[in-house]
Amino acid sequence: MKSFMKEFKEFISRGNVMDMAVGIIIGGAFSAIVTSLVEDIITPLIGAIGGFDFSNWAITINNSPILIGNFINAVIDFLIIAFVLFSVMAMNKAAAVVKKPEEVKEEAPTTKICPYCKSEIAIDATRCPHCTSELKD
C-alpha cells in the first residue's frame, strides 16, 4: 500500500497532471458558453428566421418523449467546439511553419587532419603527434 501511495504522490506532483486539470476546467467552462450560445442565441434566431423552433421538437412513443430538438442542439454544440479546436490546431500549425528556426552558430573547428598520416590533430599543432611530421600552414 505504501508503494501505491508513493507512486500516486509522484503522479500528482508531475506538471502534466496540473496542465490536464486546467485544460478540463477551461474545457468545461467553454462547453457551457457554447451550450448557452446555441440554446439562447442560435436556436431562437433559427426559429425567428425560419418560423419554427426545433428546440422543443419531441416525439412521444408510449408516453416517453424523445427530445429531437435537444439532440439537434447537442450536435450544433459539438460542431462549434470541433470547429474551434480545429481552428486552434490550424493556427498552431501555421505559427510553427512561419516561425523561423533558431540560427545555429557554427563554431570554429578545433581539430584538423594531418596531411601525411591522416590522423586528427589539434588545430594549432605544428608537428603531428602520431607520425611526427612537421606541419606547414
Side-chain angles (χ1 to χ4, degrees), residues 11-89:
F11 174 75
I12 292 296
S13 64
R14 289 185 196 157
N16 295 344
V17 173
M18 294 305 293
D19 293 341
M20 185 175 62
V22 169
I24 290 171
I25 292 168
I26 290 174
F30 181 71
S31 176
I33 291 170
V34 171
T35 300
S36 176
L37 171 73
V38 170
E39 291 177 357
D40 301 332
I41 297 174
I42 293 176
T43 301
L45 281 175
I46 291 173
I49 294 171
F52 58 92
D53 184 10
F54 59 80
S55 65
N56 296 324
W57 282 2
I59 298 174
T60 304
I61 299 176
N62 293 336
N63 294 327
S64 297
I66 298 173
L67 305 174
I68 296 172
N70 286 348
F71 177 74
I72 293 172
N73 283 343
V75 169
I76 294 171
D77 282 354
F78 171 77
L79 292 175
I80 291 173
I81 291 173
F83 178 74
V84 169
L85 290 176
F86 177 77
S87 299
V88 168
M89 288 174 35

Coordinates of all heavy atoms in Angstrom, one line a residue, residues 11-89:
F11 N 2.8 10.8 -9.3 CA 1.9 11.1 -10.4 C 1.3 12.4 -10.2 O 1.2 13.2 -11.2 CB 0.9 10.0 -10.5 CG -0.2 10.3 -11.6 CD1 0.1 10.1 -12.9 CD2 -1.4 10.7 -11.2 CE1 -0.8 10.4 -13.9 CE2 -2.4 10.9 -12.2 CZ -2.1 10.8 -13.5
I12 N 0.8 12.7 -9.0 CA 0.1 14.0 -8.8 C 1.1 15.2 -8.9 O 0.7 16.3 -9.3 CB -0.6 14.0 -7.4 CG1 -1.7 13.0 -7.4 CG2 -1.0 15.3 -7.0 CD1 -2.8 13.3 -8.4
S13 N 2.3 15.0 -8.5 CA 3.3 16.1 -8.4 C 3.9 16.4 -9.8 O 4.5 17.4 -9.9 CB 4.4 15.8 -7.5 OG 5.2 14.6 -7.9
R14 N 3.6 15.6 -10.8 CA 4.1 15.9 -12.1 C 3.3 17.1 -12.7 O 2.2 17.4 -12.4 CB 3.8 14.8 -13.1 CG 4.7 13.6 -12.8 CD 4.5 12.6 -13.9 NE 5.1 11.3 -13.4 CZ 4.7 10.1 -13.9 NH1 3.7 10.0 -14.8 NH2 5.2 9.0 -13.4
G15 N 4.0 17.9 -13.5 CA 3.3 19.1 -14.1 C 2.2 18.8 -15.1 O 1.3 19.5 -15.2
N16 N 2.3 17.6 -15.7 CA 1.3 17.2 -16.7 C -0.1 17.1 -16.1 O -1.1 17.4 -16.7 CB 1.6 15.9 -17.3 CG 2.9 16.0 -18.2 OD1 3.3 17.1 -18.5 ND2 3.5 14.9 -18.5
V17 N -0.2 16.6 -14.8 CA -1.5 16.5 -14.2 C -2.1 17.9 -14.0 O -3.3 18.0 -14.2 CB -1.3 15.7 -12.8 CG1 -2.6 15.7 -12.0 CG2 -0.8 14.3 -13.1
M18 N -1.4 18.8 -13.6 CA -1.9 20.2 -13.4 C -2.3 20.8 -14.7 O -3.4 21.4 -14.8 CB -0.9 21.1 -12.7 CG -0.6 20.7 -11.3 SD -2.0 20.5 -10.2 CE -2.5 22.2 -10.1
D19 N -1.6 20.6 -15.8 CA -1.9 21.1 -17.1 C -3.3 20.4 -17.5 O -4.1 21.1 -18.1 CB -0.9 20.8 -18.1 CG 0.4 21.5 -17.9 OD1 0.3 22.5 -17.1 OD2 1.5 21.1 -18.4
M20 N -3.4 19.1 -17.3 CA -4.6 18.4 -17.7 C -5.8 18.9 -16.9 O -6.9 19.1 -17.4 CB -4.4 16.9 -17.4 CG -5.6 16.1 -17.9 SD -5.3 14.3 -17.8 CE -5.1 14.1 -16.0
A21 N -5.6 19.2 -15.6 CA -6.7 19.7 -14.8 C -7.2 21.1 -15.2 O -8.4 21.3 -15.3 CB -6.3 19.7 -13.3
V22 N -6.2 21.9 -15.5 CA -6.6 23.2 -16.0 C -7.3 23.1 -17.4 O -8.3 23.8 -17.6 CB -5.3 24.1 -16.2 CG1 -5.6 25.4 -16.9 CG2 -4.7 24.4 -14.8
G23 N -6.8 22.2 -18.2 CA -7.5 22.0 -19.5 C -8.9 21.5 -19.4 O -9.8 22.0 -20.1
I24 N -9.2 20.7 -18.4 CA -10.5 20.1 -18.2 C -11.4 21.2 -17.7 O -12.6 21.4 -18.1 CB -10.5 18.9 -17.3 CG1 -9.8 17.7 -18.0 CG2 -11.9 18.6 -16.8 CD1 -9.5 16.6 -17.1
I25 N -10.9 22.0 -16.8 CA -11.7 23.1 -16.2 C -12.1 24.2 -17.3 O -13.2 24.6 -17.4 CB -11.0 23.8 -15.0 CG1 -10.9 22.8 -13.8 CG2 -11.7 25.1 -14.6 CD1 -10.0 23.2 -12.7
I26 N -11.1 24.5 -18.1 CA -11.3 25.5 -19.1 C -12.3 24.9 -20.2 O -13.2 25.6 -20.7 CB -10.0 26.0 -19.8 CG1 -9.3 26.9 -18.8 CG2 -10.3 26.7 -21.1 CD1 -7.9 27.3 -19.2
G27 N -12.1 23.6 -20.5 CA -13.0 23.0 -21.5 C -14.4 22.9 -21.0 O -15.3 23.1 -21.8
G28 N -14.6 22.7 -19.7 CA -16.0 22.7 -19.1 C -16.6 24.1 -19.2 O -17.8 24.2 -19.6
A29 N -15.8 25.1 -18.9 CA -16.3 26.5 -19.0 C -16.7 26.8 -20.4 O -17.7 27.4 -20.7 CB -15.3 27.4 -18.4
F30 N -15.8 26.4 -21.4 CA -16.0 26.7 -22.8 C -17.3 26.0 -23.3 O -18.1 26.5 -24.0 CB -14.8 26.3 -23.6 CG -15.0 26.6 -25.1 CD1 -15.0 27.9 -25.5 CD2 -15.1 25.6 -26.0 CE1 -15.1 28.2 -26.9 CE2 -15.3 25.8 -27.3 CZ -15.2 27.1 -27.8
S31 N -17.4 24.8 -22.8 CA -18.6 24.0 -23.2 C -19.9 24.7 -22.7 O -20.9 24.7 -23.5 CB -18.5 22.6 -22.7 OG -19.7 21.8 -22.9
A32 N -19.9 25.2 -21.5 CA -21.1 25.9 -21.0 C -21.4 27.1 -21.8 O -22.5 27.4 -22.1 CB -20.9 26.3 -19.5
I33 N -20.3 27.8 -22.3 CA -20.5 29.0 -23.1 C -21.1 28.7 -24.4 O -22.1 29.3 -24.9 CB -19.2 29.8 -23.3 CG1 -18.8 30.4 -21.9 CG2 -19.3 30.9 -24.4 CD1 -17.4 31.0 -22.0
V34 N -20.6 27.6 -25.1 CA -21.1 27.2 -26.4 C -22.5 26.7 -26.2 O -23.4 27.0 -27.1 CB -20.2 26.1 -27.0 CG1 -20.8 25.5 -28.2 CG2 -18.8 26.7 -27.3
T35 N -22.9 26.0 -25.2 CA -24.2 25.5 -25.0 C -25.2 26.7 -24.8 O -26.3 26.7 -25.4 CB -24.3 24.6 -23.7 OG1 -23.4 23.5 -23.9 CG2 -25.7 24.1 -23.5
S36 N -24.8 27.7 -24.1 CA -25.6 28.8 -23.9 C -25.8 29.6 -25.3 O -26.9 30.0 -25.6 CB -25.0 29.8 -22.9 OG -25.8 31.0 -22.8
L37 N -24.7 29.7 -26.0 CA -24.8 30.3 -27.3 C -25.8 29.6 -28.2 O -26.6 30.2 -28.9 CB -23.4 30.3 -28.0 CG -23.3 30.7 -29.5 CD1 -23.5 32.2 -29.6 CD2 -22.0 30.3 -30.1
V38 N -25.7 28.2 -28.2 CA -26.7 27.5 -29.1 C -28.1 27.6 -28.6 O -29.0 27.9 -29.4 CB -26.2 26.0 -29.2 CG1 -27.3 25.2 -29.9 CG2 -24.9 25.9 -29.9
E39 N -28.3 27.4 -27.3 CA -29.7 27.4 -26.8 C -30.3 28.7 -26.7 O -31.5 28.9 -26.9 CB -29.7 26.7 -25.4 CG -29.4 25.2 -25.4 CD -29.3 24.6 -24.0 OE1 -29.5 25.3 -23.0 OE2 -29.2 23.4 -24.0
D40 N -29.5 29.8 -26.4 CA -30.1 31.1 -26.1 C -30.0 32.1 -27.3 O -30.7 33.1 -27.3 CB -29.4 31.7 -24.9 CG -29.5 30.9 -23.7 OD1 -30.5 30.1 -23.6 OD2 -28.7 30.9 -22.8
I41 N -29.1 31.8 -28.3 CA -29.0 32.7 -29.4 C -29.2 32.0 -30.7 O -30.1 32.5 -31.5 CB -27.6 33.4 -29.4 CG1 -27.4 34.2 -28.1 CG2 -27.3 34.2 -30.6 CD1 -26.0 34.7 -27.8
I42 N -28.5 31.0 -31.0 CA -28.6 30.4 -32.4 C -30.0 29.8 -32.6 O -30.6 30.0 -33.6 CB -27.5 29.4 -32.6 CG1 -26.1 30.1 -32.6 CG2 -27.7 28.6 -33.9 CD1 -24.9 29.2 -32.8
T43 N -30.4 28.9 -31.7 CA -31.7 28.3 -31.9 C -32.9 29.3 -32.0 O -33.7 29.2 -32.9 CB -32.0 27.3 -30.7 OG1 -30.9 26.3 -30.7 CG2 -33.3 26.5 -30.9
P44 N -33.0 30.3 -31.1 CA -34.0 31.3 -31.3 C -33.9 32.1 -32.6 O -34.9 32.4 -33.2 CB -33.9 32.2 -30.1 CG -33.2 31.4 -29.0 CD -32.3 30.5 -29.8
L45 N -32.7 32.3 -33.0 CA -32.5 33.0 -34.3 C -33.0 32.2 -35.5 O -33.7 32.7 -36.4 CB -31.1 33.4 -34.6 CG -30.5 34.6 -33.8 CD1 -29.1 34.8 -34.1 CD2 -31.3 35.9 -34.3
I46 N -32.7 30.9 -35.4 CA -33.2 30.0 -36.5 C -34.7 29.9 -36.4 O -35.4 30.0 -37.5 CB -32.6 28.6 -36.3 CG1 -31.1 28.6 -36.6 CG2 -33.3 27.6 -37.2 CD1 -30.4 27.3 -36.4
G47 N -35.3 29.9 -35.2 CA -36.7 29.9 -35.1 C -37.3 31.2 -35.6 O -38.4 31.2 -36.2
A48 N -36.7 32.3 -35.3 CA -37.2 33.6 -35.8 C -37.1 33.8 -37.3 O -38.0 34.3 -38.0 CB -36.5 34.8 -35.1
I49 N -36.0 33.3 -37.9 CA -35.8 33.4 -39.3 C -36.7 32.4 -40.1 O -37.3 32.7 -41.1 CB -34.3 33.3 -39.7 CG1 -33.6 34.5 -39.1 CG2 -34.1 33.2 -41.2 CD1 -32.1 34.3 -39.2
G50 N -36.6 31.2 -39.6 CA -37.3 30.1 -40.3 C -38.7 29.9 -39.9 O -39.5 29.2 -40.6
G51 N -39.2 30.5 -38.9 CA -40.6 30.4 -38.5 C -40.9 29.2 -37.7 O -42.0 28.9 -37.4
F52 N -39.8 28.5 -37.2 CA -40.0 27.3 -36.4 C -38.9 27.2 -35.4 O -37.8 27.8 -35.6 CB -40.0 26.0 -37.2 CG -38.8 25.8 -38.0 CD1 -37.7 25.0 -37.5 CD2 -38.7 26.3 -39.3 CE1 -36.6 24.8 -38.3 CE2 -37.5 26.1 -40.1 CZ -36.5 25.4 -39.5
D53 N -39.2 26.6 -34.3 CA -38.2 26.4 -33.2 C -38.1 24.9 -32.9 O -38.9 24.3 -32.4 CB -38.8 27.1 -31.9 CG -37.7 27.1 -30.8 OD1 -36.6 26.7 -31.0 OD2 -38.1 27.5 -29.7
F54 N -36.9 24.4 -33.3 CA -36.7 23.0 -33.2 C -36.2 22.6 -31.8 O -36.1 21.4 -31.5 CB -35.8 22.4 -34.2 CG -34.4 23.0 -34.2 CD1 -33.4 22.6 -33.3 CD2 -34.1 23.9 -35.2 CE1 -32.2 23.1 -33.4 CE2 -32.8 24.5 -35.2 CZ -31.8 24.1 -34.3
S55 N -36.0 23.5 -30.9 CA -35.5 23.2 -29.6 C -36.6 22.5 -28.8 O -36.3 21.7 -27.8 CB -35.1 24.4 -28.8 OG -36.1 25.3 -28.6
N56 N -37.9 22.7 -29.2 CA -39.0 22.0 -28.5 C -39.5 20.8 -29.2 O -40.5 20.2 -28.8 CB -40.1 23.0 -28.3 CG -39.7 24.1 -27.3 OD1 -39.0 23.9 -26.4 ND2 -40.2 25.3 -27.6
W57 N -38.8 20.4 -30.3 CA -39.3 19.2 -31.1 C -39.2 18.0 -30.2 O -38.1 17.7 -29.6 CB -38.4 19.0 -32.3 CG -38.8 19.9 -33.4 CD1 -39.7 20.9 -33.5 CD2 -38.1 19.9 -34.7 NE1 -39.7 21.5 -34.7 CE2 -38.7 21.0 -35.5 CE3 -37.1 19.2 -35.3 CZ2 -38.4 21.2 -36.8 CZ3 -36.8 19.5 -36.6 CH2 -37.4 20.5 -37.3
A58 N -40.2 17.2 -30.2 CA -40.2 15.9 -29.5 C -41.2 15.0 -30.1 O -42.2 15.4 -30.7 CB -40.5 16.1 -28.0
I59 N -40.8 13.7 -30.0 CA -41.7 12.6 -30.5 C -42.1 11.8 -29.2 O -41.2 11.5 -28.4 CB -41.1 11.7 -31.5 CG1 -40.7 12.5 -32.8 CG2 -42.0 10.6 -31.9 CD1 -39.9 11.7 -33.8
T60 N -43.4 11.5 -29.1 CA -43.8 10.7 -27.9 C -44.1 9.3 -28.4 O -44.9 9.1 -29.2 CB -45.0 11.3 -27.2 OG1 -44.7 12.7 -26.9 CG2 -45.4 10.6 -26.0
I61 N -43.4 8.3 -27.8 CA -43.7 6.9 -28.0 C -44.0 6.2 -26.7 O -43.1 6.2 -25.8 CB -42.5 6.2 -28.7 CG1 -42.2 6.9 -30.1 CG2 -42.7 4.7 -28.9 CD1 -41.0 6.4 -30.8
N62 N -45.2 5.7 -26.6 CA -45.6 5.0 -25.3 C -45.4 5.9 -24.1 O -44.8 5.6 -23.1 CB -44.9 3.7 -25.1 CG -45.2 2.7 -26.1 OD1 -46.3 2.7 -26.7 ND2 -44.3 1.7 -26.4
N63 N -45.9 7.2 -24.3 CA -45.8 8.2 -23.2 C -44.3 8.5 -22.8 O -44.1 9.0 -21.7 CB -46.6 7.8 -22.0 CG -48.1 7.7 -22.3 OD1 -48.5 8.5 -23.1 ND2 -48.8 6.8 -21.7
S64 N -43.4 8.2 -23.7 CA -42.0 8.6 -23.4 C -41.5 9.6 -24.5 O -41.5 9.2 -25.7 CB -41.1 7.3 -23.5 OG -41.4 6.4 -22.5
P65 N -41.2 10.8 -24.1 CA -40.8 11.8 -25.1 C -39.3 11.5 -25.6 O -38.4 11.2 -24.8 CB -40.9 13.1 -24.3 CG -40.7 12.7 -22.9 CD -41.2 11.4 -22.7
I66 N -39.2 11.7 -26.9 CA -37.8 11.6 -27.5 C -37.6 13.0 -27.9 O -38.2 13.6 -28.9 CB -37.8 10.6 -28.6 CG1 -38.1 9.2 -28.1 CG2 -36.5 10.7 -29.3 CD1 -38.3 8.2 -29.2
L67 N -36.6 13.7 -27.3 CA -36.3 15.1 -27.5 C -35.4 15.3 -28.7 O -34.2 15.4 -28.5 CB -35.8 15.7 -26.2 CG -36.6 15.5 -25.0 CD1 -35.9 16.0 -23.7 CD2 -38.0 16.2 -25.1
I68 N -35.9 15.4 -29.8 CA -35.1 15.6 -31.1 C -34.5 17.0 -31.1 O -33.3 17.1 -31.5 CB -36.0 15.4 -32.3 CG1 -36.5 14.0 -32.3 CG2 -35.2 15.7 -33.6 CD1 -37.5 13.7 -33.4
G69 N -35.2 18.0 -30.6 CA -34.6 19.3 -30.6 C -33.4 19.4 -29.7 O -32.4 20.1 -30.0
N70 N -33.4 18.8 -28.5 CA -32.2 18.8 -27.7 C -31.0 18.1 -28.3 O -29.9 18.5 -28.2 CB -32.5 18.1 -26.3 CG -33.4 18.9 -25.4 OD1 -33.6 20.1 -25.7 ND2 -33.9 18.4 -24.4
F71 N -31.3 17.0 -29.1 CA -30.3 16.3 -29.8 C -29.7 17.3 -30.9 O -28.4 17.3 -31.0 CB -30.8 15.0 -30.4 CG -29.8 14.3 -31.3 CD1 -28.7 13.6 -30.7 CD2 -29.8 14.4 -32.7 CE1 -27.8 13.0 -31.4 CE2 -28.9 13.7 -33.4 CZ -27.8 13.0 -32.8
I72 N -30.5 18.0 -31.6 CA -30.0 18.9 -32.6 C -29.1 20.0 -32.0 O -28.1 20.3 -32.5 CB -31.2 19.5 -33.4 CG1 -31.9 18.4 -34.2 CG2 -30.7 20.7 -34.3 CD1 -33.1 18.9 -34.9
N73 N -29.5 20.5 -30.8 CA -28.7 21.5 -30.1 C -27.4 20.9 -29.7 O -26.3 21.6 -29.8 CB -29.5 22.0 -28.8 CG -30.5 23.0 -29.1 OD1 -30.6 23.5 -30.2 ND2 -31.4 23.2 -28.2
A74 N -27.4 19.6 -29.3 CA -26.1 19.0 -28.9 C -25.2 18.8 -30.1 O -24.0 19.0 -30.0 CB -26.4 17.6 -28.2
V75 N -25.8 18.5 -31.2 CA -25.0 18.4 -32.5 C -24.4 19.7 -32.8 O -23.2 19.8 -33.2 CB -25.8 17.8 -33.6 CG1 -25.1 17.9 -34.9 CG2 -26.2 16.3 -33.3
I76 N -25.2 20.8 -32.7 CA -24.6 22.1 -33.0 C -23.5 22.5 -32.1 O -22.5 23.0 -32.4 CB -25.8 23.2 -33.0 CG1 -26.7 22.9 -34.2 CG2 -25.2 24.6 -33.2 CD1 -28.0 23.7 -34.1
D77 N -23.7 22.2 -30.8 CA -22.7 22.4 -29.8 C -21.4 21.7 -30.2 O -20.3 22.3 -30.2 CB -23.1 21.8 -28.4 CG -24.0 22.7 -27.6 OD1 -24.3 23.8 -28.1 OD2 -24.5 22.2 -26.6
F78 N -21.5 20.4 -30.5 CA -20.3 19.6 -30.9 C -19.6 20.2 -32.1 O -18.4 20.3 -32.2 CB -20.8 18.2 -31.2 CG -19.7 17.3 -31.8 CD1 -18.6 16.9 -31.1 CD2 -19.6 17.1 -33.2 CE1 -17.6 16.1 -31.6 CE2 -18.6 16.4 -33.8 CZ -17.6 15.9 -33.0
L79 N -20.4 20.6 -33.1 CA -19.8 21.1 -34.3 C -19.1 22.5 -34.1 O -18.0 22.7 -34.6 CB -20.9 21.4 -35.4 CG -21.5 20.1 -36.0 CD1 -22.6 20.4 -36.9 CD2 -20.4 19.2 -36.7
I80 N -19.6 23.3 -33.2 CA -18.9 24.6 -32.9 C -17.6 24.3 -32.1 O -16.6 24.8 -32.4 CB -19.9 25.5 -32.0 CG1 -21.0 26.0 -32.9 CG2 -19.1 26.6 -31.4 CD1 -22.1 26.8 -32.2
I81 N -17.7 23.4 -31.1 CA -16.5 23.1 -30.3 C -15.4 22.4 -31.2 O -14.2 22.7 -31.2 CB -16.8 22.2 -29.1 CG1 -17.6 23.0 -28.1 CG2 -15.6 21.6 -28.5 CD1 -18.2 22.2 -27.0
A82 N -15.9 21.5 -32.1 CA -14.9 20.9 -33.0 C -14.3 21.9 -34.0 O -13.1 21.8 -34.2 CB -15.6 19.8 -33.8
F83 N -15.1 22.8 -34.5 CA -14.6 23.9 -35.3 C -13.5 24.7 -34.6 O -12.5 25.1 -35.2 CB -15.7 24.7 -35.9 CG -15.2 25.9 -36.8 CD1 -14.7 25.6 -38.0 CD2 -15.2 27.2 -36.3 CE1 -14.3 26.6 -38.9 CE2 -14.7 28.2 -37.1 CZ -14.2 27.9 -38.4
V84 N -13.8 25.1 -33.4 CA -12.9 25.9 -32.6 C -11.6 25.2 -32.4 O -10.5 25.7 -32.5 CB -13.5 26.4 -31.3 CG1 -12.5 27.0 -30.3 CG2 -14.6 27.4 -31.5
L85 N -11.7 23.9 -32.0 CA -10.5 23.1 -31.8 C -9.7 22.9 -33.1 O -8.4 23.0 -33.1 CB -10.8 21.7 -31.2 CG -11.3 21.7 -29.8 CD1 -11.8 20.3 -29.4 CD2 -10.3 22.2 -28.8
F86 N -10.4 22.7 -34.2 CA -9.7 22.6 -35.5 C -9.0 23.9 -35.8 O -7.9 23.9 -36.3 CB -10.7 22.2 -36.5 CG -10.1 22.2 -37.9 CD1 -9.3 21.1 -38.3 CD2 -10.3 23.2 -38.8 CE1 -8.8 21.1 -39.6 CE2 -9.7 23.2 -40.1 CZ -9.0 22.1 -40.5
S87 N -9.6 25.0 -35.5 CA -9.0 26.3 -35.8 C -7.8 26.6 -35.0 O -6.8 27.1 -35.5 CB -10.1 27.5 -35.6 OG -11.2 27.3 -36.4
V88 N -7.9 26.2 -33.7 CA -6.7 26.4 -32.8 C -5.5 25.5 -33.3 O -4.4 26.0 -33.4 CB -7.1 26.0 -31.4 CG1 -5.8 25.9 -30.5 CG2 -8.0 27.1 -30.8
M89 N -5.8 24.3 -33.7 CA -4.8 23.4 -34.2 C -4.2 24.0 -35.5 O -3.0 23.9 -35.7 CB -5.3 22.0 -34.4 CG -5.6 21.2 -33.2 SD -6.4 19.6 -33.3 CE -5.7 19.0 -34.8

